[in-house]
Amino acid sequence: MAKNIQAIRGMNDILPSQSPAWQYVEGVLRQVAAQYSYQEIRMPVLESTDLFKRSIGEVTDIVEKEMYTFDDRNGDSLTLRPEGTASCVRAGNEHGLLYNQTQRLWYLGPMFRHERPQKGRYRQFHQFGIEAFGMEGPDIDAEIILLSARLWQLFGIADQVELQLNSLASNEARARYRDALREFLRAHEEHLDEDSKRRLDTNVLRVLDSKSPETQAILANAPRLSEYWDDESRAHFDGLCQRLDAAGINYSLNERLVRGLDYYNRTVFEWVTTELGAQGTVCAGGRYDGLVEQLGGKATPAVGFAMGMERLVLLLESQGKIPPAASIDVYVMGATETGELNAPAVAETIRNLQPQLMVQLHSGAQNMKKKLAKADKSGATFALVVRDNDYELKHLRNRDAEPVTAAAIPDLLGEMQKSY
């Protein structure tokens, strides 16, 4: 017997029993994006490798360790997208959507990173992303944070997540801070973890993200990024905070928050939870004003966020916030030879008269006892038994029912609706 082929490690199937939870979450995301006048954009999963090297940064963990990259038959280096922002900017530049325009865009789809699979974090994962272009004030930063806060309210988890904010300031201010932080850490280099030692010369701000307790103890006395903010960046951050205060959004300042991608400037934020263990970020983003120009477009301010769908679904399931999946309303079966022939037409009649109902047609030759058992097992509310010239509606929690004629189907369906 041939050996079964299994899914690639870290690339998981979403089974029929799981897909209703995903459909529910996706529906809420689409609804809220539309409420805020964001439009959907769909990008290819495969892009030029150079796109991610130029945007994310060649010395980031994603580019150095995690990308799925290969040469195609023409010798071009291609990469399965590890995140959505760079692809969105590439598409905006390519199709003339960004220069001297404002755009509010959203996307939803699979991303790919070769990292250690763990609960809620996979090598093929799915992201929902929001990107806003052409607006430079703190009001648009506040808007996307308010949009994300509305999601938590609708999902019923507003009390399970906390908003953390920081500002990476301007490129010039950040460069001055980077030099000061590197000088401080050099004096303690022998006590740093190996990753942090490597990052001293490549991406020193990522040392602030270190998971090493010894490194974090050293960082307690390190220079603070806010000490290097320029006046314009401080005013921008203050403007954001004032708008969040006015909207009643709680937040905390986290000066260790730097994000793992090189393109961020000014505002960065994360929504975090303690309900998912050590990897507690459920949504993260910020401002990336230089990325459009960096990828070949005209200078355009931009801000956005992304959230991992797997982690969001996991959080909602852990809190019991996924509504029950829709069940079958009517299970249609034939009880005679003529009934078997007419049953598909009867099922279609029900679908035409009541499009919102979920109707399942019995398939396979079985006796009535087995058909009714299958209807029971399906979870249907009603069984409709089709005979030669009449029909019998069986409420599967109340087996007593009167036969009805074909002409009575519309009234029958009306009665079915009333019973809910």
Side-chain angles (χ1 to χ4, degrees):
M1 189 170 70
K3 182 180 179 182
N4 282 344
I5 299 174
Q6 297 187 334
I8 298 168
R9 184 168 183 258
M11 299 188 179
N12 292 5
D13 300 304
I14 298 172
L15 302 178
S17 61
Q18 300 166 315
S19 61
W22 283 71
Q23 291 166 359
Y24 162 69
V25 172
E26 290 166 1
V28 174
L29 296 175
R30 292 173 187 274
Q31 169 196 329
V32 172
Q35 278 187 298
Y36 285 76
S37 299
Y38 284 72
Q39 297 180 299
E40 183 180 11
I41 184 169
R42 302 189 183 195
M43 302 88 65
V45 298
L46 200 59
E47 299 270 13
S48 166
T49 301
D50 191 47
L51 172 66
F52 303 113
K53 286 186 175 181
R54 287 169 58 186
S55 59
I56 297 172
E58 293 203 45
V59 293
T60 58
D61 285 350
I62 294 174
V63 171
E64 287 185 330
K65 304 176 184 178
E66 298 172 2
M67 295 203 311
Y68 282 91
T69 297
F70 61 94
D71 290 342
D72 72 358
R73 292 182 180 182
N74 295 326
D76 298 321
S77 181
L78 305 179
T79 295
L80 288 169
R81 62 185 185 193
E83 58 98 37
T85 298
S87 290
C88 190
V89 171
R90 190 270 311 149
N93 281 341
E94 183 173 339
H95 299 286
L97 301 179
L98 305 182
Y99 181 56
N100 274 344
Q101 302 175 64
T102 60
Q103 295 285 356
R104 289 173 165 86
L105 305 175
W106 69 269
Y107 54 84
L108 175 64
M111 312 290 165
F112 304 85
R113 295 185 191 178
H114 192 281
E115 53 185 345
R116 183 173 65 86
Q118 52 188 295
K119 192 174 184 181
R121 191 178 293 274
Y122 306 111
R123 289 175 175 171
Q124 176 178 316
F125 58 101
H126 298 77
Q127 273 190 349
F128 170 75
I130 286 285
E131 313 289 358
F133 299 95
M135 295 160 275
E136 60 184 358
D139 46 358
I140 190 63
D141 301 28
E143 178 181 277
I144 69 167
I145 291 174
L146 290 172
L147 187 158
S148 58
R150 182 174 295 274
L151 291 172
W152 315 140
Q153 290 287 347
L154 291 176
F155 286 132
I157 56 170
D159 58 344
Q160 303 295 324
V161 292
E162 174 197 353
L163 175 61
Q164 296 183 356
L165 292 179
N166 194 17
S167 175
L168 299 181
S170 65
N171 290 338
E172 296 76 19
R174 192 161 64 256
R176 292 195 299 272
Y177 175 67
R178 193 182 291 117
D179 291 341
L181 180 62
R182 184 179 290 111
E183 182 180 353
F184 170 83
L185 292 174
R186 287 287 187 204
H188 302 83
E189 185 171 358
E190 61 184 289
H191 301 293
L192 297 177
D193 62 278
E194 291 304 314
D195 262 356
S196 295
K197 289 178 182 178
R198 180 176 56 85
R199 286 170 172 163
L200 282 177
D201 294 314
T202 58
N203 194 348
V204 68
L205 291 185
R206 289 305 311 279
V207 177
L208 298 175
D209 243 357
S210 171
K211 302 298 185 288
S212 164
E214 293 80 7
T215 299
Q216 285 298 326
I218 293 169
L219 288 169
N221 298 311
R224 297 163 62 90
L225 178 55
S226 59
E227 296 168 354
Y228 291 80
W229 287 354
D230 54 283
D231 291 342
E232 189 176 350
S233 297
R234 188 176 297 278
H236 185 100
F237 189 73
D238 288 346
L240 169 61
C241 293
Q242 289 163 6
R243 286 164 172 79
L244 296 179
D245 291 338
I249 302 296
N250 296 322
Y251 57 88
S252 61
L253 176 64
N254 177 4
E255 294 201 48
R256 306 270 179 91
L257 178 58
V258 294
R259 304 297 301 134
L261 310 178
D262 280 359
Y263 52 63
Y264 284 112
N265 70 302
R266 289 191 180 172
T267 304
V268 288
F269 67 90
E270 289 186 357
W271 288 95
V272 299
T273 182
T274 58
E275 302 298 321
L276 292 175
Q279 301 291 328
T281 301
V282 291
C283 173
R287 185 164 277 280
Y288 51 95
D289 293 331
L291 184 57
V292 175
E293 187 174 22
Q294 186 178 325
L295 292 179
K298 301 289 187 180
T300 302
V303 63
F305 71 70
M307 62 179 68
M309 294 288 291
E310 282 81 359
R311 298 180 63 70
L312 178 56
V313 170
L314 184 62
L315 176 59
L316 294 174
E317 288 178 335
S318 73
Q319 301 301 306
K321 300 299 184 180
I322 300 289
S327 59
I328 296 167
D329 295 293
V330 189
Y331 191 101
V332 180
M333 65 189 74
T336 65
E337 184 176 345
T338 301
E340 291 278 4
L341 294 174
N342 290 335
V346 172
E348 288 302 294
T349 299
I350 298 173
R351 294 182 183 114
N352 291 336
L353 292 169
Q354 298 285 350
Q356 74 276 21
L357 294 182
M358 186 184 298
V359 182
Q360 181 169 319
L361 177 66
H362 179 84
S363 178
Q366 293 177 317
N367 61 40
M368 280 303 298
K369 183 177 180 180
K370 289 184 177 179
K371 289 178 180 179
L372 287 170
K374 197 167 182 179
D376 254 339
K377 188 175 180 180
S378 76
T381 304
F382 296 95
L384 188 62
V385 181
V386 183
R387 305 193 196 287
D388 289 351
N389 296 305
D390 62 15
Y391 307 83
E392 183 179 0
L393 177 69
K394 293 181 177 291
H395 195 303
L396 294 178
R397 291 184 295 274
N398 178 7
R399 295 303 180 132
D400 297 328
E402 294 295 325
V404 295
T405 64
I409 286 181
D411 293 334
L412 167 69
L413 294 173
E415 289 303 312
M416 290 166 57
Q417 286 296 94
K418 290 178 185 177
S419 71
Y420 280 98

